[in-house]
Amino acid sequence: MTDDLLARHRAVLPSWMPLYYAEPIELVSGSGRRVTDARGRSYLDFFGGVLTNMIGYDIPEIREAVERQLRTGIVHSSTLYLIRQQVELAEKIARLSGIPDARVFFTNSGTEANEAALLAATNHRRSHQILAVRNSYHGRSYATMGVTGNRGWSASALNPLQVAWLHSGERLRGLLARLDPADRVAAAVEDLREVLATQTTGDVACLIAEPIQGVGGFVHGPDGLLAAWKEVLDSHGILLVCDEVQTGWGRTGEHFWGYEAHGVTPDLITFAKGIGNGYALAGVVGRADVMESVPAISFSTFGGNPVSTAAGNAVLDYLLDHDLQANAARTGAILADGLRAAVASLDHVAEVRGKGLMLGVEFVRPGTTEPDPTLTARVFEACRAGGLLVGKGGLYGNVLRMGPPLTLTEDEAREGLAILVDAIHTATGTATATTATARVTA
């Protein structure tokens, strides 16, 4: 029973591992974009295991690819032996990365992928100085926590790196938010130049940045910001690392990688989550000369193992064969346009933001930009009561995050939108007439 499982969870797992909902749920089955809990309740999933179940649940092409590999009897061999599935997937990712003569190193998680990128960059530049962005999240190891600009996720003050921080492009608060949007890129570049001149000795290894900040609440700077930063970075020989753990694989709808909205090609790209569709798979792809800078033997015992890369190949083939990037743009527009229409008159909502199937709704106290995490929690619970699973995030815990599988249908987008709008109006106590309007608009 779920209640017994909760008691057992609390008895043996640490309290700093959070569980969603006042009454946590156990998911026992899934199909398409829907999951079922241990009590038999079905939900439309708009969070996909934190943007990880990118193709959805129980997809035959992925299941069959994994089963074929399992039938060989080889689940693991280590990378000391040739792994055909790994090589094939690396070839595809290198080709899709946009980086000439790229090399790929596979890991198990986004944390490890970012660690590997930092390892390569610091060795290439012979420096442990790093530029990072405020409100960012890059993982839970010492180094990746060290470049995470969100105190709620920085569980240790210990840091093997020397980090200097850039403004995030936050649109609601902070110094750049006070400026006209047309002036923000220039101001961000000025900030970068000042940080380099005052907080570093000049020989910085890299800037690590998310094109859209995931845990940070889907905050992102203006398109073109990364290119403007890279112009300065290139003049100093500093590398650009794009953390595409949440933005990659066409999720933004407009591009295959988040960095492409900025008209720039990074030196290193990290990836994870969606590429495995639930199987542990991540990695870094980058310039050959940078990736070859690691001066000692290094490998990942389980990274890129035969089973996970069999899944990864099937995921990537399915993604491309079904043009899921276009589907993300199409269904994401239904959600974004419908949401903006539904909350236009609500001063509880400061912003609906994001791209494609990567959308956030930020809740504030009426008439202010003061975060309202309590209201956010009420909307969050109301979504679950209505049969919709969403996520939470943001620096202040006041942002609903949605990252549905990229296979989301238009009907499912409208269904989820209706539940979400109902939840917002239930939690805010506002008129239901607006809800009906939102449904018509959607």
Side-chain angles (χ1 to χ4, degrees), residues 49-171:
V50 193
L51 287 77
T52 299
N53 298 313
M54 181 172 69
I55 311 297
Y57 297 88
D58 195 26
I59 305 302
E61 291 87 343
I62 301 171
R63 181 178 66 250
E64 290 163 8
V66 170
E67 289 174 348
R68 280 196 301 272
Q69 182 60 44
L70 291 176
R71 284 195 295 271
T72 70
I74 302 293
V75 173
H76 173 74
S77 66
S78 95
T79 52
L80 296 173
Y81 303 94
L82 289 169
I83 301 173
R84 185 171 298 275
Q85 295 280 6
Q86 182 186 79
V87 173
E88 291 176 353
L89 183 57
E91 289 171 338
K92 295 172 186 176
I93 292 173
R95 184 174 64 252
L96 290 165
S97 71
I99 299 173
D101 192 28
R103 299 291 185 273
V104 181
F105 177 73
F106 288 107
T107 65
N108 302 288
S109 68
T111 292
E112 294 175 66
N114 285 325
E115 279 278 355
L118 292 169
L119 174 68
T122 53
N123 272 289
H124 184 74
R125 290 281 290 160
R126 308 306 301 166
S127 169
H128 76 307
Q129 295 183 91
I130 305 293
L131 298 170
V133 183
R134 298 177 189 182
N135 195 44
S136 59
Y137 174 81
H138 298 290
R140 56 165 301 279
S141 59
Y142 275 139
T144 56
M145 279 192 292
V147 294
T148 288
N150 184 321
R151 187 171 61 185
W153 291 89
S154 296
S156 174
L158 301 177
N159 191 352
L161 304 169
Q162 181 177 321
V163 183
W165 299 96
L166 304 181
H167 288 288
S168 68
E170 163 73 60
R171 298 161 190 255

Side-chain angles (χ1 to χ4, degrees), residues 242-404:
C242 274
D243 180 340
E244 295 272 0
V245 168
Q246 295 196 31
T247 48
W249 318 112
R251 177 165 291 280
T252 69
E254 61 185 24
H255 297 100
F256 193 78
W257 302 101
Y259 76 77
E260 292 177 283
H262 296 266
V264 67
T265 301
D267 301 291
L268 297 165
I269 301 166
T270 59
F271 58 86
K273 291 190 182 292
I275 186 60
N277 203 56
Y279 289 88
L281 183 61
V284 55
V285 54
R287 283 170 34 196
D289 61 318
V290 178
M291 292 292 286
E292 299 289 358
S293 297
V294 178
I297 294 172
S298 186
F299 80 139
S300 174
T301 298
F302 297 107
N305 68 74
V307 174
S308 66
T309 50
N313 274 297
V315 167
L316 192 49
D317 290 347
Y318 190 103
L319 176 83
L320 297 173
D321 291 345
H322 293 80
D323 195 5
L324 295 188
Q325 178 183 321
N327 190 62
R330 185 168 51 249
T331 54
I334 291 172
L335 288 169
D337 294 346
L339 266 173
R340 290 187 177 111
V343 303
S345 62
L346 293 181
D347 53 5
H348 302 78
V349 176
E351 189 175 35
V352 176
R353 60 175 174 259
K355 297 180 179 182
L357 288 177
M358 190 174 186
L359 296 169
V361 185
E362 177 148 351
F363 293 93
V364 294
R365 302 192 189 283
T368 73
T369 59
E370 183 181 350
D372 194 341
T374 302
L375 172 60
T376 309
R378 290 204 302 269
V379 177
F380 181 72
E381 292 283 353
C383 283
R384 180 244 173 138
L388 181 70
L389 302 184
V390 296
K392 290 191 297 182
L395 183 61
Y396 307 101
N398 67 317
V399 180
L400 278 191
R401 294 200 293 153
M402 289 168 287

